Amino acid sequence: MPSPNTPARPTVRDVVLQLFRDLGIDTIFGNPGSTELPLFREFPEDFRYVLGLQESVVVGMADGYAQATRNAAVVNLHSAVGVGHAMGNIFTAFRNQTPLIVTAGQQARSILPYDPFLFSAQATELPKPYVKWACEPASAADVPRALARAYHMAMQPPCGPVFVSVPADDWDQPADWLPAREVSHAFAPDPKAISPLAAALNAAKHPAFVVGAGVDRDGAVDRLVNLTEQHQANVYIAPMSARGGFPERHALFGGFLPAMRERIVDILNGHDLIVVLGAPAFTYHVEGNGPHVPPSATLWQIVDDPQVAAWTPAGNSVVCSLHLAVDHLLAHSQPAPGRQARVKAPLPPAEPSLPMSVDYALQTLSEVRGTDDVVVEEAPGSRAAMQRRLPMAGADNFYTMASGGLGYGMPAAVGVALGRQKQSLPGRTIGLIGDGSSMYSIQALYTAAQLQLPITFVVLNNRRYAALQDFAPVFGYAPGDIPAGTALPDLDFVQLAQGQGMNASRVEQPAELAAALAQALQADGPCLIELVVS
């Protein structure tokens, strides 16, 4: 028997909350359900619960927050159905390589043998294969250690979501305190593997870098600028990259690679060395034929994901953290003399029209936005225009989804704004969203309004699923033949926003666009502006 003066052991809830504090986590994203309620009883004042109105929305918010803060975010979901709702954005987080700790409630252990209401029969199997690790601890006392392991696995390259199922009655059970511990998540390149690349850079006459999301994720953008200037190498953004990786106004920036094999080879033709950084080589969207790089070029890849390195179809790969690899190349390579990079021809300005072109709308947005503003984009049908007319500054300036799944952009903009607010960063978050994309997660407007975040949602309303209509000829559609189910008439985004407590406006006339965008970008709190475009 313990003496009356013996302090009570902490509960699982006490230990987990302290673990999160030690890991720099003070925010939990969620949509509450009955099996999660015990975690939030007597919720401490130093934590924040961010409510989303649907489970996929809260995962998208956590994804944006984790990317902006560079630390794993915690998402709390309801048992089986809630996890099912969230799977779209769990898949996107997996493709984005975003570190997330996804927890889900489970029914009480004592009634699990009876298949109770709201239990998950195979909880750890449900989110697979799009989590790095999934666990339902064998006992309540194992929950804190499972969450500690989950954190470090989420943060270990390649980063990604992990999943822990927690029975509802575990939170009040006794547990032992966990000592805080540091785990390094970066790993350096093998000198024997990367030294031949440094030599190849020295010898190349016309090198090129292809940059993926891993460069920005590892904080290597400024280092890469130095490396490309040192070697006078053109820089291209990898197909379907989920983050920016290079300042797009820089003289060495060569543009964006499409997800088409033949077009990639055509664009890179003339370069004798191609170095892919932090991206697959390459992501394709349609079938292709022929070589993966120009026949006269050698391919090298630096990536932190050994599985991506394993399937790369040509060239050599080095598996390591991107910033450490770029540091090595800066220190161990010197360019051959006489190099001259390609220079892109300037783009003529887009002219006003009625209805407005997307090019004109985004050109105007570029002119009026602030230098510290960041963009979270989910407008696939307008992405080419964005790449032409809305150049990004490079580091921590642009976010989108690598999965191709819609419903990410609006909640991710909320998460990015929250993350930037936590770090006291200047500027406004611009959620650039297509009309079709926005309807997958329109509930995110409610959270933005409740939290009064500095976000401007710019909805490009062309009254259709433009990406599908534009892509239809690839699958044999005749010109003018519109695929079924791709028209979207009669959506009113002003009313949708106002119904969730957010100020909103609509612009149809090009003469009114600049002033309306400037006002929306200088608003107090969040707002939405709907642009009616062709």
Side-chain angles (χ1 to χ4, degrees):
M1 293 287 293
S3 71
N5 296 324
T6 301
R9 288 178 68 194
T11 65
V12 169
R13 178 174 51 250
D14 296 332
V15 176
V16 167
L17 291 172
Q18 186 57 48
L19 169 68
F20 288 162
R21 291 185 184 99
D22 293 341
L23 297 172
I25 296 170
D26 62 5
T27 301
I28 298 177
F29 296 85
N31 179 268
S34 57
T35 53
E36 295 76 58
L37 289 175
L39 169 60
F40 300 106
R41 190 175 64 248
E42 300 175 356
F43 199 52
E45 292 184 357
D46 60 331
F47 276 79
R48 173 173 55 183
Y49 183 89
V50 177
L51 170 66
L53 300 186
Q54 202 262 6
E55 287 89 345
S56 189
V57 169
V58 300
V59 174
M61 292 193 295
D63 185 316
Y65 184 80
Q67 292 200 59
T69 60
R70 285 193 165 84
N71 193 22
V74 175
V75 187
N76 185 246
L77 304 175
H78 198 24
S79 55
V81 173
V83 178
H85 286 166
M87 276 306 300
N89 273 336
I90 290 175
F91 172 63
T92 292
F94 183 78
R95 298 293 297 175
N96 281 359
Q97 295 187 11
T98 302
L100 296 183
I101 302 171
V102 181
T103 63
Q106 172 66 291
Q107 265 291 9
R109 290 181 187 270
S110 62
I111 58 173
L112 285 179
Y114 310 119
D115 286 8
F117 186 61
L118 293 178
F119 92 119
S120 184
Q122 298 181 26
T124 60
E125 297 301 310
L126 182 55
K128 291 180 179 178
Y130 300 116
V131 293
K132 293 180 65 178
W133 182 66
C135 172
E136 187 172 273
S139 70
D142 294 330
V143 170
R145 197 165 293 280
L147 286 166
R149 178 178 178 180
Y151 173 83
H152 292 297
M153 291 193 72
M155 293 292 289
Q156 176 184 333
C159 297
V162 294
F163 178 83
V164 181
S165 171
V166 184
D169 53 344
D170 281 4
W171 295 106
D172 292 317
Q173 299 302 309
D176 295 321
W177 294 111
L178 282 180
R181 53 193 297 263
E182 294 287 337
V183 177
S184 175
H185 300 114
F187 58 107
D190 179 352
K192 292 182 180 179
I194 199 169
S195 294
L197 172 53
L201 265 175
N202 291 340
K205 294 182 179 179
H206 300 289
F209 290 95
V210 177
V211 179
V215 173
D216 194 21
R217 197 162 46 235
D218 279 3
V221 174
D222 291 341
R223 294 172 167 93
L224 178 62
V225 170
N226 293 337
L227 182 65
T228 58
E229 291 176 347
Q230 175 177 302
H231 287 277
Q232 282 300 292
N234 286 114
V235 181
Y236 303 87
I237 299 296
M240 304 299 183
S241 183
R243 293 178 72 148
F246 195 79
E248 295 168 23
R249 295 186 188 273
H250 196 287
L252 292 174
F253 182 63
F256 296 83
L257 297 184
M260 302 172 67
R261 186 190 305 189
E262 293 88 348
R263 289 284 296 121
I264 290 172
V265 171
D266 181 56
I267 291 170
L268 296 178
N269 191 36
H271 293 291
D272 57 348
L273 176 67
I274 297 162
V275 184
V276 179
L277 300 173
F282 295 96
T283 299
Y284 301 128
H285 192 190
V286 295
E287 292 182 82
N289 296 286
H292 296 275
V293 293
S296 60
T298 300
L299 175 69
W300 280 81
Q301 177 190 50
I302 301 175
V303 68
D304 65 6
D305 188 341
Q307 294 194 44
V308 170
W311 65 252
T312 296
N316 307 296
S317 296
V318 180
V319 180
C320 63
S321 297
L322 272 296
H323 62 295
L324 299 178
V326 176
D327 283 346
H328 182 97
L329 294 176
L330 276 167
H332 294 90
S333 65
Q334 292 295 328
R339 286 184 181 168
Q340 188 171 0
R342 298 175 180 175
V343 178
K344 283 203 314 180
L347 190 67
E351 299 297 333
S353 61
L354 194 64
M356 292 182 290
S357 68
V358 176
D359 276 75
Y360 181 78
L362 297 184
Q363 173 182 280
T364 307
L365 176 60
S366 181
E367 292 168 353
V368 301
R369 67 172 167 169
T371 56
D372 295 316
D373 294 347
V374 302
V375 175
V376 181
E377 176 265 334
E378 191 178 287
S382 301
R383 192 163 293 149
M386 179 192 71
Q387 292 169 351
R388 288 190 296 266
R389 302 295 181 177
L390 191 62
M392 305 301 168
D396 299 310
N397 190 247
F398 173 74
Y399 306 85
T400 187
M401 41 77 181
S403 66
L406 302 182
Y408 168 80
M410 271 194 162
V414 174
V416 168
L418 271 170
R420 292 178 62 81
Q421 189 178 70
K422 178 180 175 64
Q423 298 171 93
S424 301
L425 294 174
R428 195 167 178 87
T429 300
I430 300 170
L432 181 64
I433 316 293
D435 54 342
S437 297
S438 67
M439 295 308 298
Y440 283 73
S441 54
I442 198 75
Q443 306 96 320
L445 297 179
Y446 175 83
T447 304
Q450 290 296 308
L451 298 178
Q452 283 297 292
L453 294 171
I455 304 178
T456 299
F457 291 99
V458 179
V459 176
L460 300 173
N461 187 355
N462 55 19
R463 301 162 300 283
R464 62 191 182 111
Y465 287 124
L468 290 174
Q469 292 183 5
D470 296 345
F471 202 62
V474 174
F475 291 102
Y477 281 74
D481 190 3
I482 297 175
T486 58
L488 294 174
D490 304 325
L491 287 170
D492 188 330
F493 291 95
V494 172
Q495 291 193 44
L496 285 167
Q498 291 174 343
Q500 296 185 72
M502 184 177 294
N503 291 328
S505 60
R506 178 185 296 111
V507 178
E508 299 184 39
Q509 300 293 329
E512 301 170 359
L513 179 61
L517 281 172
Q519 183 177 7
L521 293 172
Q522 295 165 12
D524 291 329
C527 67
L528 180 146
I529 181 167
E530 176 186 355
L531 307 184
V532 179
V533 295
S534 58

